[in-house]
Amino acid sequence: MPTMNEGYVKTVRGSVVEAVFENKLPEINNKIVAGENHEMIFEVSSHVDSTTVKLIALTFTAGLARKDPIWDTGNHLMIPVGKQTLGNLYDVFGNNLVDSEKKEDTILRSIHQDPVSFAQRSSSDEIFLTGIKAIDVLAPLPKGEKAGLFGGAGVGKSVLITELINNTAKKSKGYSVFCGIGERSREAEELYREMRETGVIENAILIFAQMNEPPGARFRVGHAALTMSEYLRDVEKKDVLLLIDNIFRFIQAGSEVSGLMGKMPSRVGYQPTLSSELSELQERISSTKTNSITSIQAVYVPADDFTDPSATHIFSHLSASIILSRKKASEGLYPAIDPLNTTSKMLNKRIVGERHYEIAQEIKRNLAIYDELKDVIAMLGIEELSKENRDTVLRARKLQRFLTQPFFTTEQFTGMEGRFVELEDSLDGFERILNDEFEDYRESDLYMIGNVDEANERRNNNS
């Protein structure tokens, strides 16, 4: 393209390239291209001097040499937006990975957008219902705000996220944007195929930057997903569910980019700009007076250490934190949500009502007492407890079993049909267990069911 501002490559250090532009210095965040077919893509990261810029590669730089020509496009990285993007799978450059045919009427937007101004924001006390008992009762998610699913490797974050997509699409017919940051390559293909088979894909957009891609691409895919979500919220006037799997990989990609740029590492080796980079992304997730973006983010916790700087910085942005426990997963209690450490600002009498609040607090009280008595039971046996404590322990174990739920997205693995449980049915079930209506039932009668009435069917079938 002859109109583009041309420069040349000065140095190549892996994913970091220095380039000289003698005519006009490109602006920060501009998209720069190189190679015969402009197949190499870079983003301007910083200005070195009056003619030199530092670029971060978003594609692999193999074959790039000193003195090679390089071009400034004059624009940021652009991504397609609007209704025609629904049902498709994209990469960070806006390439459709399912249908490569370019459409003439595609609307493009820069991945770098300013957050909604404070005056245009709105906050409501509306609850985002998921159909998952443990979440809706113990940690109701706020509509138009951010919630995190915290857990180490293999405790069920991705399964929970896919279940949320499934339930949202079927129940509310809302739009979902799924952003995969640095996750396994097979997960993208599996998720797309699964969503297509269940018919959920029609109201969803998938955008991925996989584990095998350069850190620059993984660092920018979150911004691209937000641009798509903002357009659906502001122009199409729709409520959007933005799912990010995994926000820790965004921080990790930022750390890699920071290291490549030669910045001095901060605490535990993270980048010194961790807080500002995360805030820049999270601030764009908000509600306007007409529509909202609700974000649910999976957060990998390195070595199950919740004091890790990545986890502590993410906590501060969230309105609800759902903690997934390895111990619960090992006991077969799925979803492996830790009810005692899971919190939500929505669990407030004024918002959820007195009945819901009291039931949630009573569940937590019973489970907390059981937790305290576990050591005594292990050493002396349950018979040594007082009658009151023994009743509490048996009740808590039933509550634990009732907090489990079969998922639609795991039907093919478990052979159990998924359940979507309405909030009223969940509250009713927990209330009846707390009132000892199921005192004579076996714990297994309450395990992996939806409504509490299924326990009666199971009991009758077993008798």
Side-chain angles (χ1 to χ4, degrees):
M1 294 181 199
T3 51
M4 287 201 287
N5 177 18
E6 190 176 325
Y8 65 88
V9 175
K10 184 180 174 185
T11 61
V12 182
R13 293 191 193 93
S15 286
V16 176
V17 171
E18 278 189 18
V20 174
F21 288 88
E22 283 160 353
N23 302 331
K24 180 174 177 264
L25 202 65
E27 291 179 21
I28 297 284
N29 292 335
N30 268 14
K31 176 184 171 184
I32 309 289
V33 292
E36 276 182 33
N37 303 313
H38 297 169
E39 70 278 4
M40 291 181 206
I41 301 172
F42 306 85
E43 195 177 74
V44 178
S45 177
S46 61
H47 293 157
V48 179
D49 56 38
S50 57
T51 57
T52 313
V53 289
K54 223 174 209 181
L55 313 173
I56 190 79
L58 305 182
T59 55
F60 293 107
T61 56
L64 192 69
R66 288 178 65 191
K67 299 291 181 190
D68 276 0
I70 198 164
W71 295 272
D72 170 23
T73 61
N75 285 317
H76 291 167
L77 205 57
M78 307 296 272
I79 194 102
V81 292
K83 276 191 174 171
Q84 67 266 39
T85 57
L86 291 167
N88 289 313
L89 177 65
Y90 292 94
D91 64 13
V92 69
F93 310 110
N95 299 320
N96 190 335
L97 304 178
V98 178
D99 176 12
S100 54
E101 201 179 307
K102 289 263 192 296
K103 293 184 173 63
E104 294 299 314
D105 57 346
T106 305
I107 307 163
L108 295 172
R109 284 277 167 98
S110 161
I111 67 166
H112 299 282
Q113 301 285 344
D114 291 329
V116 173
S117 70
F118 201 67
Q120 292 171 295
R121 293 190 179 212
S122 109
S123 64
S124 72
D125 288 338
E126 199 178 332
I127 291 175
F128 181 86
L129 293 172
T130 64
I132 298 168
K133 290 180 290 196
I135 294 177
D136 288 346
V137 174
L138 297 175
L141 302 183
K143 189 176 176 186
E145 293 184 43
K146 300 175 272 282
L149 301 173
F150 289 82
V155 291
K157 297 184 297 297
S158 298
V159 171
L160 208 45
I161 287 252
T162 46
E163 185 71 2
L164 287 165
I165 296 178
N166 181 70
N167 290 0
T168 307
K170 285 184 177 167
K171 189 73 183 164
S172 64
K173 299 284 181 265
Y175 288 164
S176 303
V177 177
F178 181 93
C179 174
I181 307 179
E183 287 297 289
R184 300 163 190 84
S185 303
R186 65 166 174 78
E187 288 181 343
E189 193 273 334
E190 279 174 13
L191 182 67
Y192 177 74
R193 194 177 57 219
E194 199 174 284
M195 288 173 76
R196 200 178 56 199
E197 283 167 8
T198 53
V200 169
I201 195 76
E202 304 308 320
N203 286 335
I205 305 166
L206 306 178
I207 179 165
F208 285 92
Q210 297 297 288
M211 235 176 213
N212 57 343
E213 293 183 45
R218 285 181 271 127
F219 188 55
R220 285 296 178 224
V221 73
H223 298 85
L226 268 161
T227 296
M228 289 174 151
S229 305
E230 286 164 343
Y231 189 90
L232 293 174
R233 177 194 66 192
D234 300 335
V235 180
E236 304 289 353
K237 301 290 182 206
K238 289 281 186 182
D239 288 335
V240 182
L241 174 63
L242 171 65
L243 299 126
I244 302 176
D245 188 11
N246 187 305
I247 200 77
F248 170 78
R249 306 280 176 215
F250 166 76
I251 291 173
Q252 199 177 37
S255 178
E256 288 175 49
V257 168
S258 179
L260 290 166
M261 301 304 281
K263 291 178 185 170
M264 186 70 76
S266 179
R267 255 180 76 205
V268 198
Y270 285 104
Q271 63 271 41
T273 48
L274 188 157
S275 182
S276 57
E277 285 168 4
L278 188 63
S279 301
E280 189 190 342
L281 188 77
Q282 299 280 12
E283 275 303 297
R284 287 174 64 183
I285 301 167
S286 63
S287 295
T288 62
K289 292 185 171 79
T290 51
N291 294 94
S292 64
I293 297 176
T294 304
S295 176
I296 299 170
Q297 307 169 7
V299 187
Y300 167 69
V301 181
D304 291 345
D305 176 15
F306 284 88
T307 62
D308 189 88
S310 63
T312 53
H313 276 87
I314 294 165
F315 267 122
S316 61
H317 290 278
L318 305 173
S319 302
S321 302
I322 295 159
I323 312 294
L324 298 175
S325 146
R326 192 171 300 285
K327 195 164 179 296
K328 290 269 182 292
S330 66
E331 290 170 13
L333 300 171
Y334 288 103
I337 293 168
D338 181 345
L340 298 176
N341 291 317
T342 292
T343 57
S344 169
K345 70 161 202 174
M346 303 299 276
L347 196 59
N348 179 317
K349 277 184 194 174
R350 186 180 57 80
I351 298 169
V352 297
E354 190 145 350
R355 178 176 175 244
H356 183 159
Y357 178 78
E358 293 299 342
I359 290 171
Q361 293 307 107
E362 198 57 24
I363 292 168
K364 289 187 176 184
R365 190 186 71 80
N366 278 271
L367 293 172
I369 292 170
Y370 175 40
D371 217 43
E372 283 170 23
L373 295 171
K374 271 183 179 170
D375 289 345
V376 177
I377 296 167
M379 287 187 288
L380 304 173
I382 196 166
E383 295 77 21
E384 295 301 314
L385 299 177
S386 67
K387 183 176 185 317
E388 189 188 342
N389 279 346
R390 201 159 53 235
D391 289 347
T392 303
V393 166
L394 295 171
R395 197 181 305 123
R397 287 181 63 86
K398 287 192 173 75
L399 288 168
Q400 269 188 346
R401 301 304 181 273
F402 189 57
L403 281 165
T404 62
Q405 186 171 336
F407 281 176
F408 294 99
T409 48
T410 57
E411 278 178 13
Q412 73 243 48
F413 309 115
T414 60
M416 286 185 271
E417 201 182 317
R419 297 283 188 277
F420 183 102
V421 188
E422 298 291 349
L423 177 60
E424 201 45 51
D425 293 335
S426 299
L427 291 172
D428 185 48
F430 284 116
E431 192 171 42
R432 287 170 66 187
I433 294 168
L434 289 166
N435 291 337
D436 291 335
E437 278 188 41
F438 294 89
E439 204 174 357
D440 303 331
Y441 284 62
R442 293 175 310 180
E443 289 170 9
S444 58
D445 292 338
L446 293 157
Y447 177 67
M448 283 292 173
I449 60 172
N451 290 356
V452 80
D453 295 331
E454 290 180 39
N456 295 327
E457 293 167 33
R458 196 174 278 186
R459 190 187 195 195
N460 296 335
N461 291 340
N462 291 336
S463 58

